[in-house]
Amino acid sequence: NGIAVMVILTGVLLLATPNRIQHRFRELATGNIALLQQQQFSPDIYFNAWEFRLLQFRFVPEILNEQKGWITGTGAGHAQTLLDKKYTELNMYQGVAGSGKKGYLGYHTHDQWLQSLLEAGLAGLFAFSLLAYFLIRICIRQRSTTCTFMTLSLLAFSFTDAVLASQYGIMLFLFFIHFFYIKPGTNT
Protein backbone atom coordinates (compact mmCIF):
# COMPACT_ATOMS: atom_id res chain seq x y z
CA ASN A 1 0.00 0.00 0.00
CA GLY A 2 2.81 2.39 0.83
CA ILE A 3 4.46 1.94 -2.56
CA ALA A 4 1.17 2.55 -4.39
CA VAL A 5 0.63 5.78 -2.42
CA MET A 6 4.18 6.91 -3.25
CA VAL A 7 3.67 6.19 -6.96
CA ILE A 8 0.38 8.11 -7.01
CA LEU A 9 1.85 11.06 -5.09
CA THR A 10 4.86 11.17 -7.40
CA GLY A 11 2.53 11.15 -10.44
CA VAL A 12 0.41 13.97 -9.02
CA LEU A 13 3.55 15.98 -8.18
CA LEU A 14 4.96 15.52 -11.68
CA LEU A 15 1.71 16.62 -13.30
CA ALA A 16 1.02 19.50 -10.91
CA THR A 17 4.41 21.24 -11.03
CA PRO A 18 6.13 22.79 -14.06
CA ASN A 19 8.68 20.27 -15.38
CA ARG A 20 9.72 18.42 -18.55
CA ILE A 21 7.27 15.56 -18.01
CA GLN A 22 4.33 17.92 -17.59
CA HIS A 23 5.43 19.79 -20.73
CA ARG A 24 5.49 16.50 -22.66
CA PHE A 25 1.94 15.60 -21.56
CA ARG A 26 0.65 19.08 -22.45
CA GLU A 27 2.27 18.76 -25.86
CA LEU A 28 0.40 15.50 -26.42
CA ALA A 29 -2.91 17.22 -25.72
CA THR A 30 -2.36 19.82 -28.45
CA GLY A 31 -2.14 17.55 -31.50
CA ASN A 32 -3.67 18.32 -34.89
CA ILE A 33 -5.46 15.24 -36.27
CA ALA A 34 -6.24 16.95 -39.60
CA LEU A 35 -2.50 17.25 -40.20
CA LEU A 36 -2.25 13.45 -40.38
CA GLN A 37 -4.55 13.24 -43.40
CA GLN A 38 -2.35 15.42 -45.62
CA GLN A 39 -0.82 13.73 -48.66
CA GLN A 40 2.32 15.92 -48.52
CA PHE A 41 4.05 17.72 -45.69
CA SER A 42 6.42 20.61 -45.39
CA PRO A 43 9.83 19.89 -43.82
CA ASP A 44 9.16 22.57 -41.20
CA ILE A 45 6.16 20.68 -39.76
CA TYR A 46 6.86 19.32 -36.29
CA PHE A 47 4.94 16.22 -35.26
CA ASN A 48 4.51 15.74 -31.55
CA ALA A 49 4.85 12.21 -30.17
CA TRP A 50 1.11 11.52 -30.44
CA GLU A 51 0.84 12.78 -34.02
CA PHE A 52 3.93 10.86 -35.10
CA ARG A 53 2.64 7.59 -33.64
CA LEU A 54 -0.76 8.08 -35.26
CA LEU A 55 0.99 8.78 -38.54
CA GLN A 56 2.62 5.35 -38.24
CA PHE A 57 -0.86 3.77 -38.16
CA ARG A 58 -1.30 5.30 -41.60
CA PHE A 59 2.16 4.48 -42.96
CA VAL A 60 2.39 0.81 -41.96
CA PRO A 61 -0.76 -0.31 -43.85
CA GLU A 62 0.26 1.84 -46.84
CA ILE A 63 3.70 0.19 -46.94
CA LEU A 64 2.23 -3.30 -46.50
CA ASN A 65 -0.21 -2.64 -49.35
CA GLU A 66 2.54 -1.30 -51.61
CA GLN A 67 4.83 -4.25 -50.82
CA LYS A 68 2.04 -6.83 -50.77
CA GLY A 69 3.45 -7.79 -47.39
CA TRP A 70 0.43 -8.37 -45.18
CA ILE A 71 1.20 -12.06 -44.66
CA THR A 72 5.00 -12.10 -44.36
CA GLY A 73 5.83 -8.42 -43.84
CA THR A 74 8.69 -6.49 -45.37
CA GLY A 75 11.53 -8.13 -43.46
CA ALA A 76 13.36 -6.75 -40.45
CA GLY A 77 16.19 -5.33 -42.56
CA HIS A 78 13.91 -3.70 -45.10
CA ALA A 79 11.28 -2.13 -42.83
CA GLN A 80 13.33 0.93 -41.85
CA THR A 81 14.34 1.57 -45.45
CA LEU A 82 10.67 1.58 -46.46
CA LEU A 83 9.72 3.90 -43.59
CA ASP A 84 12.54 6.29 -44.54
CA LYS A 85 11.36 6.17 -48.16
CA LYS A 86 7.84 7.08 -46.99
CA TYR A 87 9.18 10.02 -44.92
CA THR A 88 11.14 11.23 -47.96
CA GLU A 89 8.22 10.83 -50.40
CA LEU A 90 5.95 12.85 -48.13
CA ASN A 91 8.58 15.59 -47.72
CA MET A 92 8.94 15.18 -43.95
CA TYR A 93 11.95 16.80 -42.25
CA GLN A 94 15.13 14.95 -43.26
CA GLY A 95 17.68 16.90 -41.27
CA VAL A 96 20.49 19.11 -42.51
CA ALA A 97 23.09 17.60 -44.83
CA GLY A 98 26.53 17.37 -43.24
CA SER A 99 25.30 18.28 -39.76
CA GLY A 100 24.54 14.81 -38.44
CA LYS A 101 20.89 15.75 -38.00
CA LYS A 102 18.76 13.15 -39.82
CA GLY A 103 15.30 14.48 -39.01
CA TYR A 104 12.72 11.70 -39.10
CA LEU A 105 14.96 9.37 -41.09
CA GLY A 106 15.79 6.36 -38.96
CA TYR A 107 12.65 6.66 -36.80
CA HIS A 108 10.89 3.32 -36.48
CA THR A 109 7.20 2.90 -35.71
CA HIS A 110 7.52 3.50 -31.94
CA ASP A 111 5.01 0.70 -31.35
CA GLN A 112 6.08 -2.94 -31.08
CA TRP A 113 2.74 -4.19 -32.39
CA LEU A 114 3.05 -2.06 -35.54
CA GLN A 115 6.75 -2.87 -35.89
CA SER A 116 5.99 -6.61 -35.72
CA LEU A 117 3.28 -6.18 -38.34
CA LEU A 118 5.55 -4.16 -40.63
CA GLU A 119 8.56 -6.46 -40.33
CA ALA A 120 6.86 -9.87 -40.26
CA GLY A 121 3.28 -9.24 -41.41
CA LEU A 122 0.26 -10.80 -39.77
CA ALA A 123 2.43 -13.78 -38.79
CA GLY A 124 4.73 -11.46 -36.81
CA LEU A 125 1.82 -9.66 -35.19
CA PHE A 126 0.36 -13.02 -34.21
CA ALA A 127 3.73 -14.18 -32.80
CA PHE A 128 4.14 -11.03 -30.69
CA SER A 129 0.53 -11.32 -29.51
CA LEU A 130 1.23 -14.93 -28.53
CA LEU A 131 4.29 -13.80 -26.56
CA ALA A 132 2.15 -11.21 -24.74
CA TYR A 133 -0.49 -13.87 -24.03
CA PHE A 134 2.07 -16.23 -22.51
CA LEU A 135 3.55 -13.47 -20.36
CA ILE A 136 0.09 -12.68 -19.00
CA ARG A 137 -0.53 -16.38 -18.45
CA ILE A 138 2.70 -16.67 -16.42
CA CYS A 139 1.48 -13.82 -14.21
CA ILE A 140 -1.88 -15.46 -13.66
CA ARG A 141 -0.18 -18.71 -12.65
CA GLN A 142 2.39 -17.00 -10.43
CA ARG A 143 -0.17 -14.77 -8.73
CA SER A 144 2.62 -12.32 -8.08
CA THR A 145 1.92 -8.61 -7.87
CA THR A 146 5.48 -7.87 -8.93
CA CYS A 147 5.24 -10.15 -11.96
CA THR A 148 1.89 -8.64 -12.95
CA PHE A 149 3.12 -5.07 -12.53
CA MET A 150 6.30 -5.75 -14.52
CA THR A 151 4.48 -7.58 -17.31
CA LEU A 152 1.78 -4.94 -17.66
CA SER A 153 4.46 -2.24 -17.66
CA LEU A 154 6.39 -4.02 -20.40
CA LEU A 155 3.24 -4.52 -22.47
CA ALA A 156 2.30 -0.86 -22.01
CA PHE A 157 5.84 0.08 -23.03
CA SER A 158 5.36 -1.94 -26.23
CA PHE A 159 2.59 0.48 -27.25
CA THR A 160 4.95 3.45 -26.99
CA ASP A 161 8.14 2.02 -28.47
CA ALA A 162 9.36 -0.80 -30.68
CA VAL A 163 10.78 -2.57 -27.65
CA LEU A 164 12.33 -5.47 -29.53
CA ALA A 165 14.16 -3.13 -31.93
CA SER A 166 16.93 -2.49 -29.39
CA GLN A 167 19.12 -4.63 -27.18
CA TYR A 168 17.93 -2.69 -24.13
CA GLY A 169 14.30 -3.42 -24.95
CA ILE A 170 15.00 -7.08 -25.60
CA MET A 171 16.76 -7.31 -22.23
CA LEU A 172 13.84 -5.70 -20.44
CA PHE A 173 11.17 -7.61 -22.29
CA LEU A 174 12.56 -11.11 -22.46
CA PHE A 175 15.29 -11.54 -19.87
CA PHE A 176 13.79 -10.31 -16.62
CA ILE A 177 10.46 -12.03 -17.09
CA HIS A 178 12.28 -15.37 -16.78
CA PHE A 179 12.87 -14.64 -13.10
CA PHE A 180 9.13 -14.90 -12.61
CA TYR A 181 8.74 -17.97 -14.80
CA ILE A 182 11.21 -19.97 -12.70
CA LYS A 183 9.51 -21.12 -9.52
CA PRO A 184 11.41 -20.45 -6.28
CA GLY A 185 13.21 -23.54 -4.96
CA THR A 186 13.50 -25.27 -8.37
CA ASN A 187 16.27 -25.48 -10.93
CA THR A 188 13.96 -25.03 -13.95
Side-chain angles (χ1 to χ4, degrees):
N1 289 338
I3 293 174
V5 170
M6 290 295 291
V7 168
I8 292 170
L9 287 176
T10 301
V12 168
L13 184 64
L14 286 173
L15 294 174
T17 60
N19 57 63
R20 295 172 90 179
I21 295 171
Q22 182 194 50
H23 173 73
R24 183 82 166 172
F25 278 102
R26 284 183 192 245
E27 179 187 62
L28 291 175
T30 61
N32 179 3
I33 299 290
L35 176 69
L36 306 178
Q37 297 169 355
Q38 290 182 207
Q39 295 305 309
Q40 282 289 313
F41 301 104
S42 169
D44 63 342
I45 293 176
Y46 168 76
F47 299 97
N48 69 25
W50 181 245
E51 291 166 337
F52 184 75
R53 283 171 175 81
L54 288 176
L55 205 52
Q56 298 306 316
F57 278 93
R58 173 182 150 195
F59 290 168
V60 168
E62 286 178 5
I63 291 170
L64 290 173
N65 284 334
E66 292 164 4
Q67 299 295 312
K68 297 177 182 32
W70 280 98
I71 302 299
T72 59
T74 62
H78 201 50
Q80 189 59 56
T81 303
L82 292 169
L83 279 171
D84 288 347
K85 181 181 173 195
K86 183 66 76 175
Y87 303 150
T88 303
E89 286 172 356
L90 296 178
N91 200 29
M92 293 172 67
Y93 178 63
Q94 298 167 41
V96 179
S99 71
K101 295 179 180 179
K102 297 187 288 185
Y104 290 105
L105 299 178
Y107 276 45
H108 53 66
T109 61
H110 286 75
D111 181 301
Q112 186 59 52
W113 306 89
L114 276 179
Q115 193 74 23
S116 297
L117 179 63
L118 180 61
E119 291 179 356
L122 292 171
L125 181 61
F126 177 74
F128 186 70
S129 300
L130 200 59
L131 174 64
Y133 166 77
F134 281 115
L135 291 175
I136 291 168
R137 202 167 145 205
I138 290 169
C139 290
I140 291 169
R141 285 188 176 166
Q142 291 288 333
R143 294 185 177 159
S144 163
T145 306
T146 306
C147 179
T148 302
F149 176 77
M150 185 170 181
T151 299
L152 292 178
S153 296
L154 290 171
L155 291 175
F157 184 34
S158 71
F159 284 104
T160 63
D161 199 7
V163 182
L164 302 179
S166 70
Q167 290 177 354
Y168 176 75
I170 292 169
M171 261 307 257
L172 279 175
F173 204 86
L174 299 176
F175 180 73
F176 290 112
I177 201 67
H178 288 98
F179 289 117
F180 297 109
Y181 183 70
I182 298 170
K183 294 185 169 119
T186 66
N187 291 332
T188 57

